[in-house]
Amino acid sequence: MTSSDAAVSFPVKPHILDLFAGPGGLDVAAEMLDVRSLGIEWDKDACETRYAAGLRTWHADVSEVRRTRFEKLPSDLNVLAGGPPCQTYSVAGNGAGRKALEKVKELIHALVDGAGEQEVDDRLEEIGGDSRTALVLEPLRYAIKALGCPNRDGRPFDVIVLEQVPAVKALWDVYKKALEKGLPREDGTRVRYEVAEVKTLHTEAYGVPQTRRRTILIARLAGHGEPPLPAPTHHVFNPRKPEQGGPDDAQTALPVDGTPAPLRPWVAMGEVLASRKGPFEIVSNYGSGGDPKNRGVRTFRQPSFTVTGKVSRNAVRRHPNGEPLHPDRLTIAEAGNLQTFPPDYPWDGGDQSQQVGNAVPPLFGMHVLAAALGMPLPPEEKLREGWGRLDRNDSRYVELRTEGCEAPAGCGPDCPKPEGQTSSSTSSTSSRPRTGASAKRSAK
Protein backbone atom coordinates (compact mmCIF):
# COMPACT_ATOMS: atom_id res chain seq x y z
CA MET A 1 0.00 0.00 0.00
CA THR A 2 1.33 3.43 -0.91
CA SER A 3 0.47 6.60 0.94
CA SER A 4 -2.14 7.40 -1.69
CA ASP A 5 -3.78 3.98 -1.29
CA ALA A 6 -4.83 4.61 2.33
CA ALA A 7 -8.38 3.73 3.38
CA VAL A 8 -11.42 6.00 3.70
CA SER A 9 -10.63 9.53 4.86
CA PHE A 10 -10.87 10.01 8.61
CA PRO A 11 -11.97 12.44 9.86
CA VAL A 12 -14.17 13.60 7.01
CA LYS A 13 -13.33 17.29 7.54
CA PRO A 14 -9.87 17.37 9.13
CA HIS A 15 -8.75 20.54 10.89
CA ILE A 16 -5.22 20.39 12.27
CA LEU A 17 -3.88 21.97 15.44
CA ASP A 18 -0.14 22.19 14.83
CA LEU A 19 1.87 22.57 18.04
CA PHE A 20 5.42 23.96 17.77
CA ALA A 21 4.45 24.92 14.24
CA GLY A 22 7.67 26.53 13.06
CA PRO A 23 7.86 28.52 9.81
CA GLY A 24 6.29 26.00 7.46
CA GLY A 25 6.41 22.31 6.68
CA LEU A 26 3.69 20.08 8.02
CA ASP A 27 1.05 22.72 7.37
CA VAL A 28 2.35 23.54 3.92
CA ALA A 29 1.77 19.83 3.37
CA ALA A 30 -1.75 20.26 4.74
CA GLU A 31 -2.34 23.04 2.22
CA MET A 32 -1.37 20.66 -0.56
CA LEU A 33 -3.97 18.21 0.78
CA ASP A 34 -6.57 21.00 1.01
CA VAL A 35 -6.74 20.60 4.81
CA ARG A 36 -7.18 23.51 7.22
CA SER A 37 -4.81 24.10 10.12
CA LEU A 38 -3.90 26.46 12.92
CA GLY A 39 -0.32 26.64 14.15
CA ILE A 40 0.93 27.67 17.58
CA GLU A 41 4.48 29.01 17.41
CA TRP A 42 6.70 30.56 20.09
CA ASP A 43 9.42 32.03 17.89
CA LYS A 44 8.77 35.52 16.52
CA ASP A 45 10.97 35.01 13.47
CA ALA A 46 9.08 31.90 12.43
CA CYS A 47 5.80 33.77 12.92
CA GLU A 48 7.02 36.51 10.58
CA THR A 49 7.51 33.87 7.89
CA ARG A 50 4.12 32.32 8.62
CA TYR A 51 2.27 35.62 8.31
CA ALA A 52 4.05 36.43 5.03
CA ALA A 53 3.08 32.96 3.77
CA GLY A 54 -0.57 33.43 4.73
CA LEU A 55 -0.54 30.77 7.44
CA ARG A 56 -3.00 30.96 10.29
CA THR A 57 -0.95 31.29 13.48
CA TRP A 58 -1.09 32.01 17.18
CA HIS A 59 2.17 33.62 18.33
CA ALA A 60 2.13 32.00 21.74
CA ASP A 61 3.74 29.49 24.05
CA VAL A 62 2.16 26.05 23.67
CA SER A 63 2.13 25.50 27.43
CA GLU A 64 0.53 28.90 28.10
CA VAL A 65 -2.25 28.23 25.58
CA ARG A 66 -3.03 24.92 27.27
CA ARG A 67 -3.17 26.53 30.69
CA THR A 68 -5.11 29.73 29.94
CA ARG A 69 -6.52 29.83 26.40
CA PHE A 70 -7.43 26.27 25.46
CA GLU A 71 -11.17 27.01 25.35
CA LYS A 72 -10.55 29.82 22.86
CA LEU A 73 -9.18 27.38 20.29
CA PRO A 74 -11.58 26.57 17.42
CA SER A 75 -13.94 23.85 18.61
CA ASP A 76 -13.73 21.87 15.36
CA LEU A 77 -9.98 21.13 15.61
CA ASN A 78 -9.86 17.34 15.31
CA VAL A 79 -6.26 16.47 14.36
CA LEU A 80 -3.41 17.09 16.80
CA ALA A 81 0.08 17.35 15.31
CA GLY A 82 3.48 18.50 16.47
CA GLY A 83 7.16 17.93 16.99
CA PRO A 84 8.27 19.29 20.39
CA PRO A 85 11.89 20.30 21.06
CA CYS A 86 14.12 17.31 21.70
CA GLN A 87 17.55 18.60 22.70
CA THR A 88 17.28 17.65 26.36
CA TYR A 89 16.82 13.97 25.55
CA SER A 90 20.15 13.38 23.87
CA VAL A 91 21.87 10.26 25.16
CA ALA A 92 25.24 11.90 24.65
CA GLY A 93 27.20 13.48 27.46
CA ASN A 94 27.10 12.86 31.20
CA GLY A 95 23.77 11.02 31.39
CA ALA A 96 21.56 13.99 32.32
CA GLY A 97 19.55 13.45 29.14
CA ARG A 98 18.97 9.80 29.95
CA LYS A 99 17.82 10.75 33.45
CA ALA A 100 15.33 13.26 32.02
CA LEU A 101 14.13 10.64 29.57
CA GLU A 102 13.27 8.18 32.32
CA LYS A 103 11.53 10.84 34.40
CA VAL A 104 9.43 11.95 31.45
CA LYS A 105 8.43 8.34 30.75
CA GLU A 106 7.14 8.17 34.32
CA LEU A 107 5.14 11.36 33.79
CA ILE A 108 3.54 9.98 30.61
CA HIS A 109 2.27 7.04 32.64
CA ALA A 110 1.17 9.38 35.44
CA LEU A 111 -0.88 11.52 33.03
CA VAL A 112 -2.64 8.46 31.63
CA ASP A 113 -3.31 7.26 35.18
CA GLY A 114 -5.12 10.51 35.91
CA ALA A 115 -2.50 12.79 37.45
CA GLY A 116 -3.70 16.40 37.60
CA GLU A 117 -2.01 19.29 35.84
CA GLN A 118 -0.60 20.78 39.04
CA GLU A 119 0.83 17.45 40.13
CA VAL A 120 2.57 17.05 36.79
CA ASP A 121 3.89 20.62 36.92
CA ASP A 122 5.24 20.01 40.44
CA ARG A 123 7.01 16.84 39.36
CA LEU A 124 8.49 18.63 36.34
CA GLU A 125 9.76 21.31 38.72
CA GLU A 126 11.54 18.60 40.69
CA ILE A 127 13.29 17.40 37.51
CA GLY A 128 14.58 20.95 36.94
CA GLY A 129 17.14 21.66 34.24
CA ASP A 130 16.20 22.78 30.74
CA SER A 131 12.60 24.01 30.47
CA ARG A 132 12.26 22.22 27.14
CA THR A 133 12.14 18.92 29.02
CA ALA A 134 8.45 19.53 29.75
CA LEU A 135 7.46 20.33 26.16
CA VAL A 136 7.49 16.74 24.92
CA LEU A 137 4.51 16.13 27.24
CA GLU A 138 2.41 18.87 25.67
CA PRO A 139 0.78 16.81 22.87
CA LEU A 140 -0.41 14.29 25.48
CA ARG A 141 -1.58 17.06 27.81
CA TYR A 142 -3.50 18.68 24.93
CA ALA A 143 -5.14 15.37 24.04
CA ILE A 144 -6.27 14.88 27.65
CA LYS A 145 -7.33 18.52 28.05
CA ALA A 146 -9.67 18.18 25.05
CA LEU A 147 -11.66 15.51 26.90
CA GLY A 148 -12.75 17.97 29.59
CA CYS A 149 -13.13 21.10 27.45
CA PRO A 150 -16.71 22.46 27.46
CA ASN A 151 -16.12 24.27 24.18
CA ARG A 152 -15.51 20.88 22.53
CA ASP A 153 -18.23 19.04 24.47
CA GLY A 154 -15.45 16.70 25.59
CA ARG A 155 -14.73 15.49 22.04
CA PRO A 156 -11.30 13.90 21.68
CA PHE A 157 -8.93 14.55 18.83
CA ASP A 158 -9.68 12.01 16.11
CA VAL A 159 -6.09 11.70 14.88
CA ILE A 160 -2.71 12.38 16.50
CA VAL A 161 0.48 12.80 14.44
CA LEU A 162 3.86 13.32 16.12
CA GLU A 163 7.32 13.55 14.59
CA GLN A 164 10.79 13.98 15.96
CA VAL A 165 14.43 12.98 15.55
CA PRO A 166 15.31 9.31 16.18
CA ALA A 167 16.58 10.07 19.71
CA VAL A 168 12.96 10.55 20.83
CA LYS A 169 11.74 7.14 19.61
CA ALA A 170 11.81 5.77 23.17
CA LEU A 171 9.31 8.43 24.22
CA TRP A 172 7.02 7.83 21.25
CA ASP A 173 7.02 4.12 22.16
CA VAL A 174 5.73 5.06 25.63
CA TYR A 175 3.20 7.42 24.03
CA LYS A 176 1.97 4.51 21.91
CA LYS A 177 1.33 2.34 24.98
CA ALA A 178 -0.38 5.24 26.76
CA LEU A 179 -2.71 5.99 23.84
CA GLU A 180 -3.57 2.31 23.45
CA LYS A 181 -4.35 2.07 27.17
CA GLY A 182 -6.63 5.08 26.80
CA LEU A 183 -6.73 8.71 27.93
CA PRO A 184 -8.68 9.31 31.16
CA ARG A 185 -11.98 11.18 31.33
CA GLU A 186 -13.18 12.71 34.59
CA ASP A 187 -15.92 10.07 34.83
CA GLY A 188 -13.35 7.27 34.89
CA THR A 189 -13.88 6.07 31.31
CA ARG A 190 -11.07 6.00 28.78
CA VAL A 191 -10.64 7.16 25.19
CA ARG A 192 -8.47 4.65 23.36
CA TYR A 193 -6.48 4.97 20.17
CA GLU A 194 -5.09 2.55 17.63
CA VAL A 195 -1.46 3.39 16.94
CA ALA A 196 0.77 2.43 14.06
CA GLU A 197 4.21 0.99 14.73
CA VAL A 198 6.52 3.79 15.84
CA LYS A 199 9.16 3.88 13.16
CA THR A 200 12.08 5.99 11.98
CA LEU A 201 11.69 6.94 8.33
CA HIS A 202 14.17 8.29 5.78
CA THR A 203 12.89 11.41 4.04
CA GLU A 204 14.73 10.63 0.80
CA ALA A 205 12.55 7.50 0.58
CA TYR A 206 9.67 9.94 -0.07
CA GLY A 207 11.33 12.04 -2.74
CA VAL A 208 13.04 14.63 -0.53
CA PRO A 209 16.47 15.51 -1.99
CA GLN A 210 18.29 15.19 1.34
CA THR A 211 19.09 12.47 3.83
CA ARG A 212 17.12 13.11 6.99
CA ARG A 213 15.53 10.73 9.50
CA ARG A 214 12.32 11.39 11.42
CA THR A 215 10.55 9.14 13.93
CA ILE A 216 6.79 9.13 13.42
CA LEU A 217 3.81 8.30 15.63
CA ILE A 218 0.34 8.11 14.02
CA ALA A 219 -2.78 7.33 16.08
CA ARG A 220 -6.50 7.17 15.32
CA LEU A 221 -9.46 6.84 17.65
CA ALA A 222 -10.21 3.19 18.33
CA GLY A 223 -12.81 1.78 15.98
CA HIS A 224 -11.44 3.50 12.90
CA GLY A 225 -8.64 1.03 12.20
CA GLU A 226 -4.93 1.14 12.81
CA PRO A 227 -3.47 3.86 10.62
CA PRO A 228 -0.86 2.87 8.06
CA LEU A 229 2.60 4.32 7.93
CA PRO A 230 3.42 6.08 4.66
CA ALA A 231 4.90 3.60 2.21
CA PRO A 232 8.20 4.62 0.59
CA THR A 233 8.17 5.76 -3.02
CA HIS A 234 11.94 6.14 -3.56
CA HIS A 235 15.10 4.28 -2.65
CA VAL A 236 17.08 5.12 0.49
CA PHE A 237 20.50 6.67 -0.07
CA ASN A 238 23.43 4.58 1.16
CA PRO A 239 26.50 6.81 1.63
CA ARG A 240 28.74 3.72 1.58
CA LYS A 241 27.34 2.78 -1.81
CA PRO A 242 26.44 6.20 -3.21
CA GLU A 243 25.39 4.93 -6.65
CA GLN A 244 23.00 2.31 -5.26
CA GLY A 245 19.39 3.33 -5.68
CA GLY A 246 20.32 6.34 -7.80
CA PRO A 247 19.33 7.28 -11.34
CA ASP A 248 22.27 5.36 -12.83
CA ASP A 249 21.61 2.14 -10.92
CA ALA A 250 19.96 -0.46 -13.14
CA GLN A 251 18.57 -2.21 -10.05
CA THR A 252 16.30 0.73 -9.17
CA ALA A 253 13.71 -0.54 -11.63
CA LEU A 254 13.23 -3.73 -9.59
CA PRO A 255 10.53 -4.04 -6.88
CA VAL A 256 11.87 -3.85 -3.31
CA ASP A 257 10.54 -5.44 -0.10
CA GLY A 258 7.31 -6.56 -1.67
CA THR A 259 6.40 -3.07 -2.86
CA PRO A 260 3.92 -3.58 -5.71
CA ALA A 261 5.43 -0.78 -7.80
CA PRO A 262 9.16 -0.30 -8.32
CA LEU A 263 10.74 2.31 -6.11
CA ARG A 264 11.97 5.37 -7.91
CA PRO A 265 15.60 6.55 -7.65
CA TRP A 266 16.36 8.89 -4.78
CA VAL A 267 16.33 12.54 -5.85
CA ALA A 268 19.68 14.30 -6.28
CA MET A 269 20.04 17.88 -5.06
CA GLY A 270 21.16 18.95 -8.53
CA GLU A 271 17.62 18.27 -9.74
CA VAL A 272 16.14 20.94 -7.46
CA LEU A 273 18.98 23.50 -7.42
CA ALA A 274 18.53 24.37 -11.06
CA SER A 275 20.10 27.81 -10.68
CA ARG A 276 23.48 26.23 -9.95
CA LYS A 277 25.14 26.06 -13.34
CA GLY A 278 27.45 23.14 -13.91
CA PRO A 279 28.57 20.34 -11.60
CA PHE A 280 28.94 21.29 -7.93
CA GLU A 281 29.55 19.73 -4.55
CA ILE A 282 28.63 20.70 -1.00
CA VAL A 283 31.01 20.41 1.94
CA SER A 284 29.26 19.77 5.24
CA ASN A 285 29.72 22.05 8.22
CA TYR A 286 29.98 18.92 10.36
CA GLY A 287 33.00 16.68 10.73
CA SER A 288 32.85 13.14 9.40
CA GLY A 289 33.59 10.35 11.86
CA GLY A 290 33.85 12.85 14.70
CA ASP A 291 36.86 14.63 13.15
CA PRO A 292 36.01 18.34 12.59
CA LYS A 293 38.79 18.54 9.99
CA ASN A 294 37.28 15.75 7.94
CA ARG A 295 34.25 17.35 6.32
CA GLY A 296 31.82 15.22 4.41
CA VAL A 297 31.24 15.97 0.73
CA ARG A 298 28.15 15.33 -1.41
CA THR A 299 28.00 15.95 -5.13
CA PHE A 300 25.18 17.40 -7.21
CA ARG A 301 24.28 13.83 -8.25
CA GLN A 302 23.50 12.82 -4.64
CA PRO A 303 20.94 13.92 -2.03
CA SER A 304 22.16 16.69 0.24
CA PHE A 305 23.17 16.28 3.84
CA THR A 306 20.47 16.95 6.43
CA VAL A 307 19.47 20.59 6.24
CA THR A 308 20.07 21.97 9.74
CA GLY A 309 20.04 25.41 11.32
CA LYS A 310 23.70 25.69 10.30
CA VAL A 311 22.97 25.09 6.61
CA SER A 312 24.36 28.50 5.62
CA ARG A 313 27.81 27.34 6.78
CA ASN A 314 28.01 24.54 4.21
CA ALA A 315 30.50 25.42 1.46
CA VAL A 316 29.55 25.11 -2.22
CA ARG A 317 32.38 24.27 -4.65
CA ARG A 318 32.81 23.29 -8.25
CA HIS A 319 32.96 19.55 -8.79
CA PRO A 320 35.41 17.87 -9.07
CA ASN A 321 38.19 20.46 -8.79
CA GLY A 322 36.92 22.09 -5.60
CA GLU A 323 36.99 25.71 -6.79
CA PRO A 324 34.71 28.05 -4.79
CA LEU A 325 31.49 28.96 -6.58
CA HIS A 326 29.50 32.16 -6.35
CA PRO A 327 27.63 32.26 -4.12
CA ASP A 328 29.86 29.89 -2.16
CA ARG A 329 27.12 29.16 0.38
CA LEU A 330 23.60 27.92 -0.10
CA THR A 331 21.04 30.70 -0.17
CA ILE A 332 17.99 30.50 2.08
CA ALA A 333 15.82 29.82 -0.96
CA GLU A 334 18.12 26.95 -2.01
CA ALA A 335 18.06 25.47 1.49
CA GLY A 336 14.26 25.72 1.36
CA ASN A 337 14.25 23.92 -1.99
CA LEU A 338 16.24 21.04 -0.45
CA GLN A 339 13.54 20.91 2.23
CA THR A 340 10.94 20.79 -0.64
CA PHE A 341 9.36 24.13 0.18
CA PRO A 342 7.84 25.95 -2.80
CA PRO A 343 10.56 27.79 -4.74
CA ASP A 344 9.30 31.26 -3.80
CA TYR A 345 8.34 30.48 -0.19
CA PRO A 346 8.47 33.86 1.61
CA TRP A 347 11.10 33.39 4.32
CA ASP A 348 10.96 36.37 6.66
CA GLY A 349 12.18 37.47 10.08
CA GLY A 350 15.62 36.73 11.46
CA ASP A 351 17.67 33.55 11.79
CA GLN A 352 16.23 32.12 8.60
CA SER A 353 18.79 29.32 8.47
CA GLN A 354 17.47 28.05 11.77
CA GLN A 355 13.90 28.35 10.54
CA VAL A 356 14.64 26.29 7.44
CA GLY A 357 16.60 23.66 9.34
CA ASN A 358 13.90 23.19 11.98
CA ALA A 359 11.04 22.61 9.58
CA VAL A 360 9.60 19.29 8.45
CA PRO A 361 10.09 18.83 4.68
CA PRO A 362 6.63 19.53 3.20
CA LEU A 363 6.85 16.61 0.75
CA PHE A 364 7.55 14.22 3.60
CA GLY A 365 4.74 15.85 5.59
CA MET A 366 2.36 15.22 2.71
CA HIS A 367 3.09 11.49 2.86
CA VAL A 368 2.68 11.36 6.65
CA LEU A 369 -0.57 13.33 6.71
CA ALA A 370 -2.04 11.46 3.75
CA ALA A 371 -1.41 8.16 5.53
CA ALA A 372 -2.74 9.44 8.86
CA LEU A 373 -5.90 10.92 7.35
CA GLY A 374 -6.56 8.26 4.73
CA MET A 375 -6.25 10.74 1.87
CA PRO A 376 -4.80 10.40 -1.63
CA LEU A 377 -1.51 12.10 -2.33
CA PRO A 378 -1.62 15.15 -4.60
CA PRO A 379 0.93 15.43 -7.41
CA GLU A 380 4.38 16.36 -6.11
CA GLU A 381 4.43 19.13 -8.70
CA LYS A 382 2.05 21.15 -6.52
CA LEU A 383 4.94 21.92 -4.20
CA ARG A 384 6.89 23.40 -7.07
CA GLU A 385 4.16 25.87 -7.94
CA GLY A 386 4.41 29.49 -6.88
CA TRP A 387 3.39 30.30 -3.33
CA GLY A 388 3.64 34.07 -3.12
CA ARG A 389 4.13 36.58 -0.33
CA LEU A 390 1.48 38.62 1.44
CA ASP A 391 2.26 42.32 1.55
CA ARG A 392 2.18 43.78 5.04
CA ASN A 393 -0.60 46.13 3.96
CA ASP A 394 -2.67 43.29 2.54
CA SER A 395 -5.92 42.85 4.46
CA ARG A 396 -5.27 39.13 4.83
CA TYR A 397 -1.84 39.79 6.35
CA VAL A 398 -3.34 42.27 8.82
CA GLU A 399 -6.08 39.75 9.67
CA LEU A 400 -3.56 36.98 10.33
CA ARG A 401 -1.32 39.14 12.49
CA THR A 402 -4.28 40.54 14.42
CA GLU A 403 -5.39 37.01 15.23
CA GLY A 404 -1.89 35.72 15.91
CA CYS A 405 -0.46 38.64 17.90
CA GLU A 406 -3.69 40.41 18.85
CA ALA A 407 -2.27 43.51 17.16
CA PRO A 408 -2.44 44.60 13.48
CA ALA A 409 1.26 45.50 13.39
CA GLY A 410 4.08 44.13 15.50
CA CYS A 411 3.51 41.99 18.57
CA GLY A 412 0.74 42.45 21.10
CA PRO A 413 1.16 42.63 24.88
CA ASP A 414 0.61 38.88 25.37
CA CYS A 415 3.10 37.66 22.76
CA PRO A 416 6.09 35.70 24.12
CA LYS A 417 9.03 37.91 25.04
CA PRO A 418 11.84 35.51 25.94
CA GLU A 419 15.49 36.45 25.67
CA GLY A 420 16.91 36.23 22.21
CA GLN A 421 13.75 36.88 20.23
CA THR A 422 14.11 39.67 17.73
CA SER A 423 11.91 41.69 15.47
CA SER A 424 12.03 41.13 11.73
CA SER A 425 13.71 44.49 11.26
CA THR A 426 16.79 43.53 13.28
CA SER A 427 19.65 41.22 12.52
CA SER A 428 19.10 37.61 13.42
CA THR A 429 20.13 36.32 16.82
CA SER A 430 19.70 32.97 18.38
CA SER A 431 16.29 32.18 19.79
CA ARG A 432 15.04 29.25 21.78
CA PRO A 433 16.20 26.14 19.90
CA ARG A 434 13.31 24.37 18.29
CA THR A 435 12.59 21.27 16.35
CA GLY A 436 9.60 20.16 14.54
CA ALA A 437 7.50 21.32 12.06
CA SER A 438 5.66 23.55 10.07
CA ALA A 439 3.00 25.78 8.73
CA LYS A 440 -0.04 26.05 6.56
CA ARG A 441 -1.59 28.69 4.39
CA SER A 442 -5.22 29.09 5.42
CA ALA A 443 -6.34 31.91 3.20
CA LYS A 444 -9.26 29.93 1.93
Side-chain angles (χ1 to χ4, degrees):
M1 175 183 288
T2 65
S3 302
S4 59
D5 293 329
V8 178
S9 176
F10 174 75
V12 175
K13 293 182 179 180
H15 190 183
I16 299 172
L17 175 61
D18 186 11
L19 308 180
F20 315 101
L26 194 66
D27 302 65
V28 172
E31 170 74 8
M32 298 298 102
L33 294 169
D34 198 26
V35 170
R36 297 174 298 155
S37 76
L38 167 66
I40 302 176
E41 174 52 43
W42 179 94
D43 182 61
K44 177 178 172 55
D45 292 327
C47 287
E48 296 288 355
T49 293
R50 292 177 64 87
Y51 295 144
L55 307 177
R56 193 176 175 202
T57 306
W58 281 15
H59 181 200
D61 184 278
V62 166
S63 301
E64 181 272 334
V65 170
R66 173 182 50 78
R67 288 192 298 266
T68 65
R69 299 168 60 191
F70 193 94
E71 292 186 7
K72 295 182 180 180
L73 290 167
S75 60
D76 64 341
L77 289 163
N78 52 19
V79 179
L80 182 65
C86 65
Q87 290 90 338
T88 63
Y89 300 104
S90 171
V91 297
N94 61 9
R98 291 189 292 278
K99 180 179 179 181
L101 182 69
E102 294 306 315
K103 293 291 186 182
V104 171
K105 286 180 182 180
E106 293 174 8
L107 286 174
I108 292 173
H109 290 299
L111 280 164
V112 174
D113 289 340
E117 291 199 1
Q118 188 58 55
E119 178 187 344
V120 173
D121 287 342
D122 290 343
R123 291 175 65 175
L124 282 166
E125 190 71 25
E126 292 174 5
I127 295 175
D130 196 312
S131 62
R132 292 170 296 183
T133 297
L135 296 179
V136 77
L137 293 173
E138 287 298 341
L140 183 59
R141 301 183 81 171
Y142 266 70
I144 293 173
K145 185 95 171 184
L147 304 180
C149 180
N151 188 42
R152 299 176 56 88
D153 295 325
R155 287 185 300 101
F157 287 101
D158 294 316
V159 176
I160 299 174
V161 180
L162 304 177
E163 61 80 29
Q164 212 16 282
V165 296
V168 180
K169 183 179 184 301
L171 287 179
W172 285 173
D173 286 333
V174 179
Y175 254 77
K176 173 179 166 67
K177 293 178 181 178
L179 292 169
E180 291 172 339
K181 178 178 181 179
L183 305 183
R185 289 190 184 274
E186 292 181 357
D187 62 5
T189 61
R190 290 188 175 275
V191 175
R192 292 180 171 82
Y193 288 82
E194 296 186 56
V195 188
E197 175 190 4
V198 175
K199 194 170 182 179
T200 299
L201 307 178
H202 297 255
T203 61
E204 75 270 23
Y206 302 90
V208 178
Q210 65 167 304
T211 52
R212 188 186 194 99
R213 296 189 301 155
R214 307 302 287 183
T215 299
I216 303 298
L217 180 149
I218 302 176
R220 288 182 187 165
L221 274 178
H224 295 277
E226 181 181 319
L229 287 170
T233 53
H234 295 66
H235 282 271
V236 172
F237 178 74
N238 183 349
R240 293 183 177 84
K241 298 179 180 179
E243 299 304 318
Q244 189 178 68
D248 297 328
D249 184 359
Q251 298 300 310
T252 43
L254 301 177
V256 175
D257 296 333
T259 305
L263 295 177
R264 291 148 63 184
W266 40 254
V267 179
M269 55 182 160
E271 296 182 41
V272 298
L273 302 183
S275 62
R276 291 283 175 180
K277 304 299 182 183
F280 65 89
E281 62 189 23
I282 292 182
V283 184
S284 173
N285 176 58
Y286 293 95
S288 177
D291 182 356
K293 296 179 180 179
N294 185 18
R295 307 294 186 182
V297 177
R298 295 272 178 92
T299 77
F300 70 108
R301 293 186 60 80
Q302 299 171 345
S304 81
F305 297 103
T306 300
V307 175
T308 71
K310 303 295 190 298
V311 64
S312 60
R313 299 182 185 181
N314 293 349
V316 184
R317 310 183 306 200
R318 189 171 302 283
H319 179 76
N321 61 21
E323 294 177 3
L325 290 177
H326 180 75
D328 64 354
R329 296 291 188 270
L330 288 173
T331 66
I332 294 299
E334 288 176 326
N337 291 161
L338 294 176
Q339 281 276 59
T340 68
F341 278 90
D344 61 343
Y345 195 70
W347 301 102
D348 207 334
D351 206 355
Q352 293 179 11
S353 291
Q354 194 69 47
Q355 292 185 49
V356 178
N358 285 345
V360 171
L363 179 55
F364 179 65
M366 279 171 48
H367 282 268
V368 172
L369 286 179
L373 302 176
M375 301 180 72
L377 280 168
E380 294 178 12
E381 290 73 20
K382 287 191 69 174
L383 281 169
R384 293 191 281 274
E385 296 175 357
W387 186 274
R389 173 187 292 270
L390 288 180
D391 184 88
R392 289 174 184 260
N393 295 320
D394 187 287
S395 60
R396 177 59 178 163
Y397 182 95
V398 174
E399 177 186 346
L400 287 167
R401 184 179 280 282
T402 300
E403 178 185 22
C405 290
E406 298 182 325
C411 281
D414 295 328
C415 288
K417 297 181 180 64
E419 262 183 61
Q421 292 208 127
T422 60
S423 72
S424 60
S425 61
T426 63
S427 60
S428 64
T429 63
S430 62
S431 55
R432 179 167 77 178
R434 310 192 59 76
T435 60
S438 45
K440 150 139 189 336
R441 179 165 58 179
S442 57
K444 297 183 178 181

